[in-house]
Every structure is written in C-alpha cells, then in structure tokens.
Amino acid sequence: MRKPIIVGNWKMNKTCAETVAFIEAIEPVLHDGATFGVGAPFTALKDATATAKNLVIAAENCHYKDNGAYTGEVSVPMLQELGVTHVIIGHSERRQMFNENDEELNLKVKRLIEAEMTPIFCIGETEAQYDAGETENVIRTQLAAGLKDLCPKCVAKMVIAYEPIWAIGTGKSATKEIAQNCCHIVRDQIRVMYGDEAADSVRVQYGGSVKPENIKEYMACEDIDGALIGGASLKVDSFTKIIEAVK
Ligand code: PGA
C-alpha cells in the first residue's frame, strides 16, 4: 500500500527563526497516517533539519552538477550534507519564471536518484492548455521527457506532483474529479513507461489551492496519495488542520 505524503511548499517565505518556530509547533501534531514534510528555502534548511524529528525536510530546487562555476546554484551533495532527503523538482514557477526545461529537470531527477534522495517531480498544464483540451497530452509529454531513462525501481520510490497551473495560488482548486482523472493519467503514463510495479508504488500528489476544507476529498480519491501545498502550508493553524484531516 502507498503511504500518503503531504508536503508544504514554502517558496520564498520564512526566515531561519520563522522556520524553527513553525517546525517546533508542527512536530507534536504529526502522526503515522502519512509522511509530512515542508519544502524550505535553502537558507533555512540547516535549521530545519536540526529542528525536525519526524517532519521531512525538502529543498525547493537543486543543480544536477556537484560543483563548478554555476553562480547562485546549490548541488545535491550540499543538500545531503544538511540532512535534506527530498527535493521539489520542476515546480511550475521554476519552469515558467526561471526557464527550466524538461532535459535539465531529467538530469536533476537522475542526480537525486543516484544520491538516494526523493525527487518530488512537478508537472501540470497552463490554463490555456486546459481550455484547449491539452491536459492529458501535457501530462504525458512532461513525464515522458522529465522521467526519461530511469530504472523502474527508482521511479517506484519517487513522488510526482500533478499541479494544474491555473489552480496554483488562485484559490480555484481543481474539482476532485479533475484531480483524480489527471492523477490517474499520471499513474497510467508511469505504467506505460515503467510497468505495473512502478505505477502501483509511485506516489502521486495533487497540488493547487489545497486547504483544510478540501484536503479530505482529494485524499479519498483512488489515485491521489497526497498533496503539495503552498499557501495553506505557511500558517501553523492551517497546516495543523490539514495534518489532522488526514488521520
Ligand atoms: P497553492 O500552491 O497551494 O498556494 O496553490 C501550490 C504549489 O505551488 O505547490
């Protein structure tokens, strides 16, 4: 059975002091019903891993090279040294604002797998693609390129976050039917690429305006194994409600 995984994506929010205070407040409400984590800014990761006991700490990006002349970048060994275990890869903000493409995202995923870390690989269509009926094609194409040339056993341990861009930070969450259907397509594409074991084991998250009021309906869907949560993961109160809702 797939253990659910709920991850907050803090984006460019929280200082070190705010990170420590948040994690100290959240730790006591965690439970075994799911894996819980937060994606924190690079600057807060050391304090985050030092403070966390059961909360998984994720970075929000990494480079695929281990070192070199890449001003401003952070490598996988640097994150590993801090005790980071998960990395969000290919978030739509990185794809859209920082021009990350499928080929480099594939290299990042490969480097993380080599380091035995868990990529949280993000995909999802724009509003225009949704309106044009291209959602399924976008999902399959992004997965085919981003998860190219991996081993089935490695894919089985990954997390894939399906996040329709029109639902991110808009309050306009996808209906549970749309979310389930798209997460099913994700799993089917993994089946096509890597077979049944990978497809049945990979954890698929829905992301896009997830909040305490709607988390339960997503979690009840057959192909949804968790959520990637932006806005509602920033406040102890709302993240606690989400954690309690998935008990
Ligand atoms: P949101 O963000 O929950 O604020 O919509 C989700 C995300 O960007 O991962």
Side-chain angles (χ1 to χ4, degrees):
M1 270 316 290
R2 299 186 293 266
K3 186 168 184 182
I5 178 163
I6 309 279
V7 178
N9 175 16
W10 285 351
K11 311 190 179 187
M12 196 172 72
N13 291 290
K14 295 203 188 291
T15 62
C16 293
E18 288 165 348
T19 296
V20 169
F22 184 99
I23 295 174
E24 283 174 346
I26 284 294
E27 277 287 344
V29 297
L30 301 181
H31 55 80
D32 285 340
T35 299
F36 297 99
V38 291
F42 290 133
T43 46
L45 288 173
K46 192 170 185 182
D47 284 324
T49 56
T51 311
K53 293 186 189 73
N54 293 307
L55 191 69
V56 160
I57 303 302
E60 299 173 15
N61 183 25
C62 67
H63 200 277
Y64 53 86
K65 292 275 181 70
D66 285 0
N67 46 53
Y70 303 99
T71 302
E73 291 293 315
V74 173
S75 75
V76 170
M78 291 169 187
L79 296 173
Q80 247 180 334
E81 186 188 35
L82 302 182
V84 170
T85 53
H86 292 54
V87 182
I88 299 169
I89 293 294
H91 189 277
S92 61
E93 286 149 20
R94 302 244 23 115
R95 291 177 188 257
Q96 293 193 314
M97 296 180 215
F98 303 98
N99 300 318
E100 294 194 5
N101 61 50
D102 290 327
E103 291 69 37
E104 71 183 298
L105 297 177
N106 181 241
L107 293 173
K108 293 181 185 201
V109 169
K110 283 184 177 150
R111 183 65 191 90
L112 286 167
I113 286 174
E114 193 188 326
E116 297 187 350
M117 292 168 77
T118 305
I120 301 173
F121 184 70
C122 304
I123 55 160
E125 81 284 2
T126 63
E127 183 147 39
Q129 289 167 328
Y130 176 81
D131 289 341
E134 291 167 4
T135 300
E136 176 163 357
N137 185 36
V138 171
I139 291 173
R140 291 191 188 274
T141 307
Q142 287 181 339
L143 289 173
L147 303 188
K148 206 172 116 193
D149 299 333
L150 306 177
C151 74
K153 282 199 164 37
C154 304
V155 175
K157 289 188 238 160
M158 281 187 61
V159 178
I160 298 171
Y162 165 68
E163 300 199 297
I165 295 170
W166 47 268
I168 295 179
T170 58
K172 209 170 85 181
S173 51
T175 63
K176 63 177 191 300
E177 289 79 14
I178 293 176
Q180 158 58 26
N181 184 43
C182 292
C183 290
H184 183 76
I185 293 167
V186 170
R187 202 176 300 286
D188 185 67
Q189 180 62 22
I190 297 299
R191 202 175 300 283
V192 170
M193 293 170 72
Y194 293 108
D196 287 341
E197 201 189 318
D200 294 335
S201 305
V202 70
R203 286 178 295 173
V204 183
Q205 296 175 317
Y206 165 74
S209 299
V210 174
K211 40 189 182 258
E213 296 75 34
N214 60 21
I215 181 75
K216 270 199 164 122
E217 50 185 71
Y218 293 124
M219 296 305 287
C221 296
E222 198 183 329
D223 284 294
I224 301 180
D225 308 311
L228 187 58
I229 304 166
S233 74
L234 289 172
K235 294 231 163 66
V236 169
D237 179 50
S238 51
F239 204 50
T240 297
K241 284 188 182 137
I242 287 170
I243 291 166
E244 283 171 350
V246 300
K247 248 184 192 151

